[in-house]
Amino acid sequence: MRQLLLFITVILVGLVFISRLFYLQVYNSTANSLFDDNAIRKVYDYPKRGFVYDRNGTLLVANQPAYDVMVIPREVKPLDTLEFCALLKIDKTKFIDTYNKAYHYSPRLPSVFVSHLSKEDYAILQEKMRKFEGFYIQKRSLRKYETTIGANVLGDIGEVNNAIIKKDPYYKMGDLIGKQGIEASYENTLRGVKGIKFIQKDRFNRNIGPYKNGAFDTIPVQGKDITITIDAKLQEYGELLMQNKRGGVIAIEPATGQILAMVAAPSYDPNDLVGRKRSKNFNKLIRDSIAKPLFNRSLQGVYEPGSPFKLMNALIGLQEGVITPNETVTCYAGYKYGNRFMKCHCRVGKRNDLVNGIQESCNAYFATAYRRILDKTGNASTGIDVWSNHAKSFGLGNFLGYDLRVGQKGRIPDRAYYKRVYPKTFYSTYTISNSIGQGEVATTPIQLANMTAAIANRGFFYTPHIIKSIEGETIPEKFTTPKYTSIDKKHFEPVIEGMHQVYKNGTAKWLQVEGIDICGKTGTVENFAIIDSVKTQLTDHSIFVAFAPKDDPKIAIAVFVENGYFGSRFAGKVASLMIEKHIKGFTTRKDLEKWLLERSLEEEYAKQYSGEPFKINRQSTYQFVDKEEFEQLYNRLNAINNASH
């Protein structure tokens, strides 16, 4: 019996040892468990991010080698900190703070100690790294922007924070991630997949070679290249025209919804946010609370649309049958409702049909149309919802679903919105300012550009997007599926003819381009700011929408120039030039180019921050740039035009 018991005990002990060996050698020898093994060092192999090309194949974003000094806190031995700091070009305080941060993150996992060493610094440092145990150099790729334009489109990359690491375990301390623009929107596509090497260490913490001959190592998968819809030359041209101005420009190809240009002014050089200078430059940009160069006005700027919104009221009025193209409305230099009067530029007694109403931007015509829409059923409370739903079918009042992460919904009010102010009774005259694109209506430049594209297409649009193609993939179906508005196709022709007459005989007749039939609409919007707790009127905003050619349109555009006053003064000139540039590849209106480059609105923007009293001078809302700056801008313009040829 004792022999049997001894035999069973031996068998059980043997099974325990075999099980333990199996666990250690087989089950526990997986990549996941290796991360917890202190005898194995983990070294990441970072892939190259995918390249970015413009629609014509021009390389916009590439990569350049960079070197990070990594630290594993528990492996750090006493060292000459003064020598080490001198090599890294940091002070001792920075050394201590960075070390403590790395130790807090993880004593046993590597963290970035100093990022983005130059090639020269790397060459000097690598010869002496053996003296500093616990530190090593890791190679990775940094972005290299092959252009100085399109910062709001391209975006940038920066180090992940703790919140990102907790949300996505793929990222480790010191990893880089897209922060803005397409770098952020297409992060998973561009970044690729990290590789990893497991290095066996001996009891003296020295590397002795790959763990299990590299059986668990993985190689990095390079990021995929992408082509974006932006035309780099058109983008550069638009940014130049918007120098010394603030606002946004969006140009869309109506037939596809592809964004041809996305200008946010002021902008900055995307290379400013690369490497060790990134933090300093980013702080400088984000602290500029006046010009706001990081604020993408083309997507995030919310403005009253002004007279371009009259196009929407015309279409809704036609769809609802409350106006006809040939019916006329008499304008008495404005529109009287109750004891109020809304002024207009038309002469007293001018009779306008739909085309003339658009051509002359007649406030009386569109106030009449708006009231008829709301009062059609005899109940403006239901009429406002009918009006609102039509406008929203053009993508207004909501996010458009484009593929950049920033934006604003804008506002198309409905009865629910107005119930807060008018809980019981509601009349069409309460919101008459909506008829001319002011009041409670608010849009972003990209929403107005999309509305214009829908008009150009006679009733449908494609979701605006920045991606043209992805290496080895197809773009999402939502970008290739048309969306139809609630307006019948037949109602678009008289509105388009009115836009055409704006250029031929109306408010934009001085902006015509030979050989191109352009359809457009000017806009001038009141502009207010709170200064010392007082609502103060500033110079009006300049707004313009257009598309061309009239038949088979190739481009739809919306331009907002803050404090630019008349729609044709600044915004209209920018629109006409960019349309010609896109369609012809060159420009003939050199007079418009010179006019824009010569004039700056910086003094206008400075008024409200000056602390000095000022008056609005609508006839002189700009100053001339000095001769040297003009020559620099004009030389850049010539370089762009010559490159296009």
Side-chain angles (χ1 to χ4, degrees):
M1 187 66 181
R2 288 181 179 179
Q3 289 180 340
L4 180 60
L5 184 61
L6 180 62
F7 178 75
I8 293 173
T9 302
V10 171
I11 293 298
L12 289 174
V13 170
L15 288 174
V16 169
F17 274 101
I18 292 172
S19 299
R20 180 59 178 169
L21 285 172
F22 177 82
Y23 175 80
L24 291 174
Q25 295 295 321
V26 180
Y27 180 77
N28 201 40
S29 292
T30 64
N32 287 334
S33 64
L34 295 179
F35 283 98
D36 299 320
D37 193 332
N38 294 331
I40 298 173
R41 177 182 168 197
K42 279 68 66 176
V43 178
Y44 289 104
D45 192 356
Y46 288 90
K48 294 181 179 178
R49 284 179 78 88
F51 287 5
V52 180
Y53 299 88
D54 88 330
R55 66 186 298 108
N56 299 312
T58 301
L59 179 63
L60 299 178
V61 188
N63 298 304
Q64 57 183 321
Y67 306 91
D68 293 345
V69 177
M70 309 296 292
V71 61
I72 303 175
R74 67 182 296 166
E75 297 181 9
V76 174
K77 299 293 188 294
L79 71 154
D80 186 339
T81 55
L82 292 179
E83 180 186 9
F84 195 51
C85 288
L87 289 169
L88 296 179
K89 298 179 181 178
I90 62 174
D91 56 33
K92 190 171 181 179
T93 301
K94 175 70 173 177
F95 177 96
I96 295 171
D97 290 344
T98 306
Y99 177 84
N100 289 339
K101 180 181 178 181
Y103 193 92
H104 178 75
Y105 167 65
S106 173
R108 57 186 179 80
L109 293 178
S111 297
V112 174
F113 194 78
V114 172
S115 61
H116 312 149
L117 292 180
S118 66
K119 293 180 181 179
E120 294 75 18
D121 291 339
Y122 165 71
I124 296 171
L125 186 61
Q126 69 168 341
E127 298 295 330
K128 300 185 178 183
M129 281 303 291
R130 57 183 176 77
K131 298 167 60 176
F132 310 111
E133 293 189 46
F135 296 90
Y136 65 95
I137 296 177
Q138 179 169 276
K139 183 180 178 180
R140 69 168 78 205
S141 291
L142 274 187
R143 277 316 212 185
K144 182 181 181 183
Y145 296 95
E146 304 286 349
T147 180
T148 59
I149 54 93
N152 61 312
V153 178
L154 302 175
D156 63 284
I157 60 175
E159 287 190 22
V160 295
N161 54 34
N162 289 330
I164 295 174
I165 293 172
K166 289 180 180 178
K167 183 179 179 180
D168 189 343
Y170 172 85
Y171 296 100
K172 308 298 179 185
M173 185 65 72
D175 281 2
L176 301 176
I177 190 173
K179 293 286 188 177
Q180 302 175 89
I182 58 171
E183 294 281 18
S185 297
Y186 291 94
E187 163 67 11
N188 291 346
T189 300
L190 290 168
R191 77 181 182 194
V193 180
K194 287 182 292 189
I196 189 169
K197 296 178 181 178
F198 297 98
I199 309 298
Q200 183 75 55
K201 297 187 292 186
D202 63 15
R203 62 192 182 94
F204 297 107
N205 212 34
R206 295 175 300 194
N207 296 339
I208 58 175
Y211 176 73
K212 289 192 175 295
N213 294 318
F216 296 100
D217 294 353
T218 59
I219 60 174
V221 178
Q222 184 169 326
K224 294 182 178 180
D225 296 344
I226 65 173
T227 298
I228 60 175
T229 61
I230 294 293
D231 181 334
K233 290 300 178 185
L234 186 65
Q235 177 77 22
E236 185 179 13
Y237 185 68
E239 290 190 12
L240 184 62
L241 297 179
M242 290 293 287
Q243 284 287 313
N244 300 308
K245 305 161 191 71
R246 295 178 191 166
V249 182
I250 291 282
I252 295 174
E253 185 177 63
T256 61
Q258 295 177 8
I259 299 173
L260 302 170
M262 180 188 296
V263 177
S267 188
Y268 57 94
D269 186 339
N271 290 289
D272 289 344
L273 298 185
V274 175
R276 298 182 72 173
K277 62 185 178 182
R278 182 187 188 279
S279 179
K280 177 183 178 181
N281 289 338
F282 181 80
N283 287 332
K284 181 181 178 181
L285 291 170
I286 202 169
R287 287 173 182 170
D288 186 350
S289 59
I290 297 177
K292 300 179 180 178
L294 290 176
F295 181 66
N296 192 339
R297 286 173 168 84
S298 57
L299 301 181
Q300 296 171 284
V302 179
Y303 310 87
E304 293 177 349
S307 292
F309 195 76
K310 292 173 180 176
L311 305 172
M312 180 60 61
N313 284 321
L315 290 166
I316 297 172
L318 290 170
Q319 182 68 29
E320 290 299 313
V322 297
I323 60 172
T324 66
N326 298 323
E327 180 186 2
T328 60
V329 173
T330 303
C331 180
Y332 296 95
Y335 182 79
K336 189 177 187 302
Y337 57 105
N339 60 354
R340 298 185 179 184
F341 189 76
M342 182 166 59
K343 293 181 180 180
C344 182
H345 297 294
C346 293
R347 61 176 172 79
V348 175
K350 180 74 162 50
R351 295 183 64 82
N352 291 313
D353 59 12
L354 176 59
V355 171
N356 286 334
I358 295 172
Q359 173 186 313
E360 302 297 333
S361 199
C362 179
N363 288 346
Y365 184 92
F366 291 99
T368 300
Y370 178 77
R371 289 194 63 185
R372 288 182 182 179
I373 295 166
L374 268 62
D375 295 335
K376 178 182 177 182
T377 62
N379 183 353
S381 291
T382 57
I384 189 70
D385 284 336
V386 171
W387 171 85
S388 178
N389 289 335
H390 280 306
K392 289 175 181 176
S393 75
F394 284 75
L396 302 177
N398 209 336
F399 296 108
L400 281 169
Y402 49 76
D403 49 346
L404 290 173
R405 293 187 177 183
V406 298
Q408 296 288 339
K409 293 178 67 174
R411 183 173 56 249
I412 297 295
D414 54 17
R415 182 65 185 112
Y417 176 87
Y418 285 118
K419 275 190 175 180
R420 291 173 291 178
V421 183
Y422 310 112
K424 295 182 180 180
T425 58
F426 180 78
Y427 298 101
S428 57
T429 52
Y430 289 1
T431 60
I432 197 70
S433 292
N434 290 340
S435 66
I436 59 172
Q438 296 193 206
E440 288 70 49
V441 177
T443 60
T444 61
I446 193 170
Q447 288 176 330
L448 268 196
N450 185 68
M451 180 196 81
T452 307
I455 295 173
N457 287 335
R458 281 69 171 172
F460 68 92
F461 64 91
Y462 293 90
T463 300
H465 53 281
I466 207 77
I467 192 70
K468 193 171 190 294
S469 65
I470 302 173
E471 181 184 359
E473 297 182 18
T474 57
I475 67 172
E477 187 177 345
K478 71 174 184 176
F479 297 141
T480 58
T481 303
K483 294 184 177 180
Y484 290 88
T485 71
S486 59
I487 308 299
D488 294 339
K489 183 177 180 179
K490 64 182 180 181
H491 297 310
F492 285 89
E493 291 306 328
V495 172
I496 289 172
E497 181 55 32
M499 296 175 69
H500 188 223
Q501 290 303 316
V502 167
Y503 262 91
K504 290 296 183 182
N505 303 298
T507 52
K509 61 185 177 182
W510 309 112
L511 305 178
Q512 296 181 46
V513 175
E514 185 178 357
I516 303 177
D517 281 331
I518 306 178
C519 302
K521 184 71 192 77
T522 55
T524 305
V525 176
E526 290 183 329
N527 174 26
F528 295 89
I530 304 299
I531 302 176
D532 296 330
S533 303
V534 177
K535 186 178 181 181
T536 306
Q537 186 171 15
L538 304 174
T539 302
D540 297 341
H541 295 318
S542 176
I543 302 173
F544 200 89
V545 300
F547 71 85
K550 180 183 177 183
D551 300 313
D552 191 22
K554 305 297 183 184
I555 181 174
I557 191 168
V559 182
F560 281 71
V561 179
E562 295 179 2
N563 303 60
Y565 194 45
F566 288 126
S568 59
R569 176 175 284 180
F570 279 96
K573 291 178 175 66
V574 173
S576 290
L577 287 169
M578 291 188 68
I579 286 172
E580 185 179 27
K581 182 73 171 175
H582 178 67
I583 293 176
K584 293 182 177 179
F586 59 90
T587 56
T588 59
R589 291 299 306 267
K590 302 302 180 183
D591 56 323
L592 300 185
E593 289 179 336
K594 184 173 182 292
W595 195 97
L596 286 169
L597 294 185
E598 282 182 334
R599 288 159 174 81
S600 169
L601 289 170
E602 293 299 340
E603 284 188 7
E604 183 67 30
Y605 301 134
K607 284 181 180 179
Q608 59 182 304
Y609 303 104
S610 66
E612 301 293 331
F614 62 88
K615 293 181 180 180
I616 301 174
N617 184 352
R618 290 177 169 173
Q619 298 308 312
S620 181
T621 61
Y622 50 77
Q623 82 269 14
F624 288 90
V625 301
D626 61 52
K627 183 178 179 180
E628 183 179 352
E629 182 178 3
F630 172 74
E631 288 178 351
Q632 291 175 351
L633 293 174
Y634 207 74
N635 288 337
R636 284 181 57 194
L637 179 72
N638 287 332
I640 295 170
N641 288 335
N642 290 336
S644 298
H645 280 303

